[in-house]
């Protein structure tokens, strides 16, 4: 791509933020707390920052249920039990929680092996706030946490079964699940089935939200984040990070090329090189595109990028500035941005632990 085209793309991206910011937040099915904007004066810079922030980002919903997927306590409880149960994997030794560990904020902090004992091809994404992402997985090839849970049954980056039927047989053979599924899906004759598996695990994931100081800020509590965090927020916006990292997930809602200004692997030393969404779409336009990372809890989820090729957050931010925005930013700017990113870390949900 020539420079003019690249520049055009970046401009489009920047413009897109302003056009999309409102609609992005509506994507997914969620109840968003309304920002209280009325009681703040217009002229002062504090308020200007706040107004820009609420136009680009949205606070986390209280929960992520919807009429289509009603939130039932029994389903969340069942999903929690399934999430931490090793017995239901192909080998009987792996649970979702092995790779999505509470102590690492829903990731595994390492390139540990997949269920086939091969080195994992991709860095683990967090299950925390995964339900706010418009697409799931690095390729964004799953449309919801329910679809993702379904695919996890047979994925080597999941429970590793040969077929979803095989997985369901394994769950049916465990006596305690008969009662638990029957309670969660009382009108079904044979409640242990693939669809209910996905609904229950999805319901649990929809409960795994981590409201953070930045949400309180977006809801109008202007002193919920520090002065330094506000400096970082300003830099995050003025540097152009918001072109891709916006909405409820501060990302998670669009596909973008990783390496707009230069090939990513030249900077990250990634090997092998992952061709991104091209692998599933075979469309040249999707070469090296990935779902934009959701930046909630990002200070807790090293290493970074789809292949975990970058170990530290400051380095990841330098990479982003360089290859996504063609900007060199100072260490001080990076430090300030990190102070802001820390305000996206919330406490772990109480139910993110074995039942
Ligand atoms: C062997 C490790 C492993 C296991 C076990 C595992 N996962 Fe994952 N999970 C991953 C990896 C790696 C990714 C990124 C996958 C990709 O991009 O294709 C991921 C992605 C996800 C995502 C997408 C998050 C996002 O931001 O889009 C969700 C949700 C998820 N897993 C849920 C689960 C559930 C539920 C289970 C259990 C049924 C499970 N995982 C089991 C490794 C694992
Ligand atoms: C043109 C779109 C775009 C811009 C601009 C952009 N990013 Fe990203 N960002 C992405 C994509 C896409 C990924 C996922 C890349 C991958 O791993 O394949 C990502 C990943 C990240 C990650 C890694 C998260 C993780 O969990 O692995 C961080 C941190 C990050 N971005 C911060 C920033 C910061 C800070 C800025 C501004 C300096 C910025 N980004 C600008 C698109 C963008």
């Amino acid at each position: 791509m020539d420079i003019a085209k690249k520049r055009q793309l970046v401009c489009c991206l920047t413009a897109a933020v302003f056009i999309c910011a409102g609609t992005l937040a509506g994507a997914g099915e969620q109840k968003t707390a309304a920002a209280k904007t009325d009681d703040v004066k217009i002229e002062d810079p504090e308020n200007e920052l706040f107004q820009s922030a609420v136009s680009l980002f949205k606070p986390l919903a209280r929960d992520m249920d919807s009429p289509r997927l009603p939130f039932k306590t029994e389903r969340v409880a069942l999903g929690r039990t399934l999430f931490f149960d090793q017995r239901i994997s192909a080998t009987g030794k792996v649970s979702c929680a092995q790779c999505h560990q509470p102590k690492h904020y829903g990731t595994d902090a390492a390139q540990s092996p997949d269920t086939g004992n091969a080195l994992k091809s991709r860095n683990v994404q967090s299950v925390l706030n995964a339900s706010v992402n418009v697409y799931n997985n690095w390729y964004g090839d799953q449309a919801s946490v329910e679809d993702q849970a379904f695919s996890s049954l047979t994925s080597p980056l999941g429970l590793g079964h040969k077929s979803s039927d095989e997985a369901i047989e394994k769950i049916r053979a465990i006596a305690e699940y008969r009662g638990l599924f029957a309670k969660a899906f009382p009108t079904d004759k044979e409640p242990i089935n693939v669809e209910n598996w996905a609904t229950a695990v999805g319901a649990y994931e929809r409960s795994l939200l981590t409201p953070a100081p930045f949400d309180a800020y977006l809801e109008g509590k202007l002193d919920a984040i520090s002065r330094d965090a506000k400096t970082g927020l300003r830099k995050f916006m003025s540097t152009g990070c918001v072109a891709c990292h916006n909405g409820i997930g501060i990302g998670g809602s669009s596909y973008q090329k990783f390496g707009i200004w230069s090939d990513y692997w030249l900077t990250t030393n990634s090997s092998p090189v992952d061709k991104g969404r091209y692998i599933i779409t075979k469309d040249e336009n999707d070469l090296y595109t990935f779902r934009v990372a959701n930046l909630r809890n990002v200070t807790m989820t090293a290493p970074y990028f789809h292949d975990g090729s970058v170990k530290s957050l400051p380095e990841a931010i330098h990479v982003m500035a360089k290859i996504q925005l063609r900007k060199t930013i100072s260490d001080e700017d990076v430090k300030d941005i990190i102070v802001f990113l820390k305000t996206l870390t919330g406490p772990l949900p109480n139910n993110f632990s074995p039942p």
Side-chain angles (χ1 to χ4, degrees), residues 47-212:
N47 184 45
E48 227 166 84
L49 179 69
F50 175 69
Q51 295 299 342
S52 309
V54 293
S55 73
L56 291 164
F57 308 105
K58 292 286 171 275
L60 266 183
R62 296 280 168 263
D63 56 54
M64 290 294 295
D65 71 339
S66 71
R68 192 171 66 79
L69 292 161
F71 220 59
K72 294 222 167 76
T73 317
E74 295 80 9
R75 292 185 185 170
V76 176
L78 169 60
R80 180 179 179 184
T81 305
L82 292 166
F83 191 90
F84 288 94
D85 191 345
Q86 305 182 344
R87 293 171 298 174
I88 60 182
S89 64
T91 58
K93 290 185 183 143
V94 178
S95 71
C96 311
Q98 171 178 307
C99 299
H100 300 285
Q101 298 174 26
K103 70 169 185 246
H104 294 302
Y105 265 76
T107 68
D108 71 350
Q111 289 289 80
S112 49
D114 69 18
T115 34
N117 231 9
L119 193 66
K120 275 203 302 292
S121 52
R122 277 169 235 155
N123 185 14
V124 176
Q125 292 167 314
S126 182
V127 285
L128 296 171
N129 313 302
S131 60
V132 314
N133 295 330
V134 178
Y135 319 99
N136 287 110
N137 287 352
W138 288 108
Y139 290 170
D141 54 335
Q142 300 299 332
S144 65
V145 283
E146 285 76 20
D147 289 359
Q148 210 286 339
F150 171 70
S151 71
S152 276
L153 284 174
T154 50
S155 167
L157 297 176
L159 301 184
H161 285 285
K162 288 197 193 72
S163 68
S164 48
D165 288 346
E166 180 189 281
I168 293 303
E169 282 316 310
K170 201 139 193 190
I171 300 174
R172 283 188 184 148
I174 300 170
E176 72 176 279
Y177 280 119
R178 276 182 228 138
L180 290 175
F181 272 86
K183 251 201 213 152
F185 302 95
T187 58
D188 289 10
K189 275 220 177 78
E190 179 41 278
I192 305 185
N193 60 47
V194 172
E195 200 175 43
N196 290 346
W197 148 271
T199 304
V201 172
Y204 175 54
E205 289 175 307
R206 284 170 188 277
S207 77
L208 298 178
L209 302 177
T210 62

Side-chain angles (χ1 to χ4, degrees), residues 10 13 123-125 138 235-236 239-245 254-260 264 288-295 298 301-308 310 313 316-318 320-325 329 337 341:
V10 173
L13 287 174
N123 185 14
V124 176
Q125 292 167 314
W138 288 108
K235 290 184 178 173
F236 188 79
T239 309
C241 312
V242 287
C244 300
H245 296 281
S254 66
Y255 306 122
Q256 299 290 343
K257 187 170 178 190
F258 183 32
I260 291 182
Y264 74 81
Y288 316 120
T289 61
F290 294 87
R291 190 202 72 198
V292 174
N294 173 325
L295 296 186
V298 71
T301 59
Y304 299 104
F305 301 128
H306 65 268
D307 53 5
V310 167
L313 189 54
I317 294 173
H318 280 298
M320 278 281 128
K322 181 177 168 198
I323 71 174
Q324 301 302 82
L325 295 159
I329 54 175
I337 289 176
L341 293 177

Side-chain angles (χ1 to χ4, degrees), residues 1 6 9 138-140 244 254-266 268 270 272-293 305-307 320 323-324:
M1 202 193 291
K6 280 183 181 167
L9 174 61
W138 288 108
Y139 290 170
C244 300
S254 66
Y255 306 122
Q256 299 290 343
K257 187 170 178 190
F258 183 32
I260 291 182
W261 292 95
S262 66
D263 295 332
Y264 74 81
W265 54 93
L266 300 177
T268 60
S270 299
V273 168
D274 186 327
K275 292 188 172 164
R277 283 180 57 71
Y278 172 82
I279 300 289
I280 48 171
T281 66
K282 303 293 172 209
D283 178 344
E284 299 264 310
N285 293 316
D286 290 334
L287 266 174
Y288 316 120
T289 61
F290 294 87
R291 190 202 72 198
V292 174
F305 301 128
H306 65 268
D307 53 5
M320 278 281 128
I323 71 174
Q324 301 302 82

